[in-house]
Amino acid sequence: MRSIELSAITAVIGAVVGAVLAWAVVGGRPDGFLRRTVTAAAGVLAQFGGVTLAFAFLATVGAEGLVTVALQDHLGVDLSGTWVFELTGLALVYSYFQIPLMVLVFLPALDGLRPQWSEAARSLGGSPWTYLRLVAGPLLAPAFLGSMLLLFANAFSAYATAAALVSQGASIVPLQIRALQTGEVVLGQQNVGKALGLGMVVVVAVVLALYALLQRRTSRWLR
Amino acid sequence: MKWARRAVLAVLGLYFLLPLVAMLDFSTRGRGGVRDLSAWRAIGQDSELLHAILVSVELAVLTAVLMLVLLVPTMTWVHLRLPRMKRLIEALCLLPLVIPAIVLVVGIASLYSWVTYFLGDSPLTLTFVYVVLVLPYAYRAIESGLTAVDVRTLSEAARSLGASWPTVMLRVVLPNVRAAVLSAGLLAVALVLGEYTIASLLNFTTLQVDVALLGKRNAEISIAVSLAALVFAFALLLGISLVAGRRRSARAVEPLAPSAAQPLASSGAPA
Amino acid sequence: MSERDGVAVDLTGLHRSYGGVPALDGLDLHVQAGEFVSLLGPSGCGKTTALRILAGLETADEGQVRVGGKDLTQVPANRRDMGMVFQAYSLFPHLTALDNVAFGLRLRKVSTSDRRRQAGEVLELVGLGSQAGKYPHQMSGGQQQRVALARALAIRPQVLLLDEPLSALDAKVRVQLREEIRRLQTELGITTLFVTHDQEEALAISDRVGVMSQGRLEQLDSPATVYQRPATPFVAEFVGVTNSFSGTVDGAGVLLPGGVRLPAAVVQGLPDRSPVRVLVRPDALHLRAGDGVLRGSVVTHSFLGPVTRLSVKLAEADLPVRVDLPSERAHEFPVASQVGLDVEPTAALLARS
């Protein structure tokens, strides 16, 4: 069940932080420098999971990482230990690609907010907070939830794969295609069994159905 | 509100930049506290690594091209003629995000035997898998490009002037969605350069796979390469988005009454 | 809804530039309490900018905004107590018509039952009581704009602002709705500022029309005055249809190329033989079979209902001249027939050179 827990947590963190970042970026012009930079960065960081991510965090908070050493030298705080593999650590690491993914997926929804709506709300006497609470919030809710679902599914599937691989032992044994196809390597089937056994199919189906439902609202209001 | 926005950007900027700076620091550590570029220089000397980089670059280009050739005409067609299919296509394009890599690999294993039968054992066969993987991102980028420009009116005008469908695609639609198409292509490049799981499962030596192997032996070089790939992909995406965006998408017709009515901005990926 | 005494609106010395380009170049506008004033002009003349500055959605670089004697220049938009109707897309898509209209009341902490009742009343006022439960995407453009109007009126604003509210609607709906807006405004007595580029609209429903060009007010007068006695050449050409004649000054007339002299009292006093251009409206030209001051042949007929507009090709003008006459007489001058045109000396207006 750790996979669901972790996926849910990183989905929420990624969704909230990503939404805030997307909001911070969308204020400017669509071809402003800030927006392009953040979108380019999001496009890249969302893809470079796995190996690069592991190394990045090794370099930051690993045994000889920048932050580890800095904290040790200046504040006497000892970061070593297995905290990276505990929930907090993993959540921090996963967020590194969940947040960019959220930005990529949620920005179009933010663009769909027409300026007339915020202006109308203002002229009717609303403050930025009431606009958020009564107009932008409800309008963005389906898109937000839908994006969060995607983040959940993404984390879940990434975790499933990782778990399946790690279960083989410390090192990853490459699987030959032929072996997979003929079922010679029992390990191959075991992996699949593990991945599928996590209720993957059910989760996928549910996620996609919910997402489709939410998309209908979004596309009606924000197109 | 401005300060809130700046605070958010500052904090998150720090969060995202810190590991990158750490990687730079780690890979340039010399003896006695002196900065040392030996790890970086070593990249040029490791022939296996260079070969893997080449493979990845080739894969990236192939994936981008194949994806565009498949997706752009299809999406344009659906956009113009079969709008009801849009929901279905969108759902299909989301599947790769949601399915674990390992299920994907086993699922296509039998298919792959056909592929290797015809095309041999080259890692370039990964192209087909990668095209599938990039669908969610490419779809959104191209879709936003298609909706930002009124593709329907343009194509109808072209058709009424006597253009065939290929002409419409090549000379009318494509130039106007150029930015979106470019960003979709670049997302494909980023994906390929960053992908590890499937390549390693299928026992192909791409950039990321080699870096992982290298990591067991020499942390500094592998971190240097990882950082280089990351920065390179980012520079590519940003660079092209800045250049492409210089020519703004055609909005030649002024709205009749230029008041609060605002056109929908294109977004989602650098456009 | 009870009537309210409207408040007066004063815009003084408004200046606003965007990146060096002036949108407003010293605008002074006084609207009396309960008055309906239209701001009319081509795209980019600054009329929308002026409206938005009054609404508080934009700030002027210089100048003052006073409403009911109070200085609102620094007051933020959400505290100005004005009702605004936008051109399109301004209804909140996730709320029903009733909830949209009740939105402003909700912000003012009116109780749920009270605000629903009041919103219902205003919806009745615009003729959409039966549509209260519908969502914007279920309504036509005209209906949406009515709801937008109701929403603006529900908060009993001091001033009603309309930013080209009819531009996105069908012609028939446009006419219907503008009359309704006028009727409601008169009943409720709310001071109203209406921005449009459609001169027919502005002339039809306003107490006064303000014609704007390049950030400045060219003329502010009753519709009839603006049409019949345009203060500047721009107004003369922008409002209504005109025929243009270029030539040189010859006493109290214009000497056209070809030797014909067009009587025009307005050029008296200008130096003889100096180049000049005058405008004559289609209804000021009198058509005759046979001779006249100007001569030509009929090219086309445009049936406009009660009036038919003939296009006549003259020797003495750059473009074909447009002449109006009652439709019953149009058959007297078929296409290709030779005709003569006479003009009242006082009918000509001075154009920009």
Side-chain angles (χ1 to χ4, degrees):
Chain A
M1 277 305 114
R2 217 154 75 119
S3 54
I4 296 197
E5 206 183 299
L6 180 67
S7 307
I9 291 179
T10 55
V12 171
I13 295 177
V16 170
V17 178
V20 170
L21 179 58
W23 162 79
V25 161
V26 87
R29 297 169 12 229
D31 30 344
F33 184 72
L34 175 69
R35 170 124 175 197
R36 286 177 193 276
T37 311
V38 171
T39 333
V44 169
L45 290 174
Q47 309 296 348
F48 277 63
V51 176
T52 313
L53 202 57
F55 282 135
F57 276 84
L58 184 73
T60 318
V61 293
E64 289 169 44
L66 185 66
V67 174
T68 321
V69 169
L71 285 178
Q72 259 172 2
D73 290 346
H74 298 262
L75 293 174
V77 173
D78 187 7
L79 269 187
S80 61
T82 53
W83 69 278
V84 184
F85 296 101
E86 299 301 311
L87 205 62
T88 23
L90 281 174
L92 201 66
V93 171
Y94 269 59
S95 297
Y96 205 76
F97 64 79
Q98 290 282 59
I99 295 174
L101 183 61
M102 179 67 175
V103 170
L104 277 186
V105 166
F106 192 60
L107 260 179
L110 277 178
D111 278 333
L113 282 180
R114 297 186 183 271
Q116 288 92 325
W117 294 334
S118 75
E119 288 181 347
R122 268 163 77 193
S123 81
L124 287 166
S127 64
W129 170 242
T130 51
Y131 169 65
L132 186 65
R133 190 167 58 93
L134 296 175
V135 182
L139 282 174
L140 289 172
F144 180 80
L145 288 174
S147 305
M148 193 160 73
L149 270 176
L150 281 182
L151 259 60
F152 175 82
N154 190 39
F156 195 62
S157 68
Y159 190 84
T161 306
L165 296 172
V166 165
S167 73
Q168 288 219 355
S171 61
I172 298 167
V173 178
L175 305 161
Q176 303 283 348
I177 302 172
R178 197 184 286 266
L180 274 175
Q181 150 204 350
T182 58
E184 269 174 25
V185 179
V186 174
L187 294 162
Q189 301 215 326
Q190 264 182 1
N191 285 339
V192 176
K194 261 194 186 57
L196 292 178
L198 294 166
M200 205 41 232
V201 177
V202 175
V203 173
V204 168
V206 168
V207 164
L208 279 181
L210 282 173
Y211 182 81
L213 255 158
L214 289 166
Q215 262 303 88
R216 229 187 320 150
R217 281 290 164 83
T218 310
S219 58
R220 191 200 293 160
W221 290 343
L222 295 178
R223 276 260 149 242
Chain B
M1 266 306 194
K2 276 230 168 83
W3 59 265
R5 181 176 295 149
R6 291 213 187 118
V8 165
L9 290 170
V11 169
L12 286 174
L14 202 71
Y15 170 69
F16 284 107
L17 280 176
L18 192 60
L20 300 177
V21 169
M23 284 171 89
L24 186 64
D25 167 74
F26 198 98
S27 60
T28 53
R29 279 182 197 168
R31 254 168 289 253
V34 179
R35 284 293 152 196
D36 171 10
L37 286 175
S38 61
W40 289 81
R41 267 183 260 125
I43 297 175
Q45 286 152 7
D46 186 339
S47 62
E48 225 180 75
L49 187 59
L50 287 175
H51 180 74
I53 293 177
L54 188 65
V55 166
S56 281
V57 170
E58 286 173 358
L59 261 175
V61 173
L62 277 174
T63 307
V65 169
L66 185 59
M67 178 272 294
L68 288 176
V69 165
L70 281 176
L71 212 54
V72 177
T74 314
M75 284 181 67
T76 314
W77 190 257
V78 169
H79 197 91
L80 290 175
R81 297 303 211 90
L82 306 164
R84 283 172 205 264
M85 296 272 291
K86 212 148 58 121
R87 203 55 56 71
L88 179 66
I89 305 264
E90 196 173 340
L92 275 177
C93 287
L94 272 178
L95 274 176
L97 254 186
V98 167
I99 298 181
I102 203 163
V103 173
L104 205 67
V105 165
V106 173
I108 62 171
S110 43
L111 213 66
Y112 233 76
S113 64
W114 282 100
V115 173
T116 45
Y117 179 73
F118 285 114
L119 296 174
D121 237 342
S122 154
L124 296 181
T125 53
L126 274 176
T127 309
F128 300 109
V129 185
Y130 284 167
V131 168
V132 172
L133 282 184
V134 83
L135 281 181
Y137 309 94
Y139 175 83
R140 295 188 90 92
I142 299 176
E143 180 62 27
S144 73
L146 284 174
T147 50
V149 180
D150 191 353
V151 177
R152 176 159 293 151
T153 309
L154 288 177
S155 67
E156 285 176 356
R159 296 277 296 161
S160 75
L161 288 167
S164 61
W165 277 113
T167 312
V168 172
M169 274 299 312
L170 270 168
R171 287 177 175 254
V172 176
V173 176
L174 209 59
N176 280 293
V177 295
R178 192 201 311 243
V181 162
L182 255 169
S183 74
L186 288 172
L187 284 173
V189 169
L191 182 132
V192 170
L193 290 180
E195 207 284 324
Y196 168 77
T197 316
I198 295 194
S200 80
L201 279 178
L202 291 175
N203 203 18
F204 288 121
T205 315
T206 61
L207 171 64
Q208 296 287 340
V209 172
D210 198 61
V211 164
L213 291 174
L214 201 60
K216 302 194 180 77
R217 289 183 277 133
N218 187 329
E220 284 188 28
I221 299 185
S222 44
I223 288 185
V225 176
S226 299
L227 185 61
L230 200 65
V231 172
F232 172 69
F234 172 72
L236 203 63
L237 257 91
L238 185 63
I240 306 268
S241 86
L242 286 176
V243 168
R246 203 69 52 84
R247 286 243 253 112
R248 214 162 290 196
S249 62
R251 227 157 351 244
V253 180
E254 272 282 352
L256 272 180
S259 52
Q262 287 238 352
L264 257 184
S266 59
S267 64
Chain C
M1 269 192 80
S2 56
E3 288 186 17
R4 253 173 85 124
D5 290 330
V7 292
V9 171
D10 273 291
L11 301 176
T12 344
L14 289 186
H15 282 83
R16 179 71 163 108
S17 306
Y18 294 100
V21 178
L24 282 181
D25 199 9
L27 178 72
D28 291 303
L29 179 66
H30 172 78
V31 183
Q32 288 161 22
E35 201 183 10
F36 190 116
V37 168
S38 288
L39 285 183
L40 174 68
S43 304
C45 70
K47 54 193 194 292
T48 300
T49 311
L51 191 81
R52 287 168 68 84
I53 289 179
L54 176 56
L57 295 173
E58 290 185 35
T59 42
D61 299 331
E62 283 170 49
Q64 250 201 359
V65 174
R66 302 182 73 85
V67 174
K70 281 194 285 232
D71 186 350
L72 290 187
T73 322
Q74 304 296 338
V75 175
N78 55 1
R79 286 215 288 269
R80 291 202 182 189
D81 193 27
M82 298 192 187
M84 181 140 176
V85 182
F86 298 81
Q87 185 182 354
Y89 304 126
S90 71
L91 291 183
F92 305 127
H94 62 301
L95 298 177
T96 59
L98 190 71
D99 287 328
N100 258 287
V101 175
F103 190 81
L105 298 171
R106 178 175 184 179
L107 290 174
R108 286 160 175 72
K109 312 270 204 303
V110 176
S111 75
T112 311
S113 52
D114 275 343
R115 70 168 183 255
R116 303 202 106 218
R117 183 181 46 82
Q118 287 178 33
E121 285 169 7
V122 184
L123 269 179
E124 281 290 347
L125 215 59
V126 298
L128 286 181
S130 57
Q131 308 287 316
K134 291 259 169 72
Y135 286 91
H137 71 273
Q138 295 171 314
M139 295 190 270
S140 70
Q143 289 174 323
Q144 288 184 32
Q145 288 300 75
R146 275 181 224 245
V147 176
L149 182 63
R151 184 176 67 179
L153 291 174
I155 56 173
R156 322 270 190 102
Q158 324 178 59
V159 181
L160 182 62
L161 305 170
L162 302 120
D163 187 3
E164 312 218 37
L166 310 176
S167 300
L169 303 174
D170 296 337
K172 249 224 145 87
V173 176
R174 230 184 289 167
V175 173
Q176 228 174 352
L177 205 47
R178 79 182 185 212
E179 289 173 3
E180 270 191 47
I181 292 176
R182 178 52 159 161
R183 177 182 60 83
L184 273 168
Q185 186 268 343
T186 318
E187 254 176 53
L188 299 171
I190 301 185
T191 313
T192 303
L193 194 60
F194 184 94
V195 163
T196 179
H197 65 271
D198 183 336
Q199 34 151 327
E200 188 198 304
E201 211 165 79
L203 295 175
I205 57 176
S206 322
D207 288 320
R208 281 192 298 164
V209 175
V211 182
M212 284 183 69
S213 165
Q214 298 187 314
R216 260 175 265 137
L217 201 57
E218 301 257 329
Q219 183 175 8
L220 179 61
D221 265 316
S222 70
T225 315
V226 168
Y227 183 81
Q228 288 156 0
R229 287 194 294 281
T232 72
F234 174 81
V235 177
E237 261 182 308
F238 188 80
V239 179
V241 178
T242 56
N243 296 296
S244 165
F245 295 95
S246 301
T248 53
V249 178
D250 181 16
V254 177
L255 196 59
L256 302 173
V260 174
R261 185 176 173 282
L262 193 71
V266 72
V267 304
Q268 196 163 34
L270 291 178
D272 271 1
R273 284 200 291 278
S274 58
V276 75
R277 194 161 69 94
V278 293
L279 307 169
V280 182
R281 297 216 190 273
D283 42 280
L285 287 167
H286 305 291
L287 203 58
R288 271 204 304 202
D291 260 349
V293 170
L294 305 164
R295 272 166 298 178
S297 61
V298 179
V299 179
T300 60
H301 280 216
S302 293
F303 178 72
L304 298 176
V307 142
T308 297
R309 185 160 288 164
L310 268 61
S311 180
V312 177
K313 173 115 185 51
L314 301 176
E316 303 93 352
D318 332 334
L319 300 166
V321 170
R322 283 167 289 188
V323 190
D324 287 349
L325 76 159
S327 296
E328 310 86 66
R329 294 192 54 206
H331 66 277
E332 297 174 26
F333 307 97
V335 173
S337 56
Q338 300 296 315
V339 294
L341 292 167
D342 282 329
V343 115
E344 288 290 313
T346 49
L349 311 163
L350 203 56
R352 291 168 295 174
S353 38

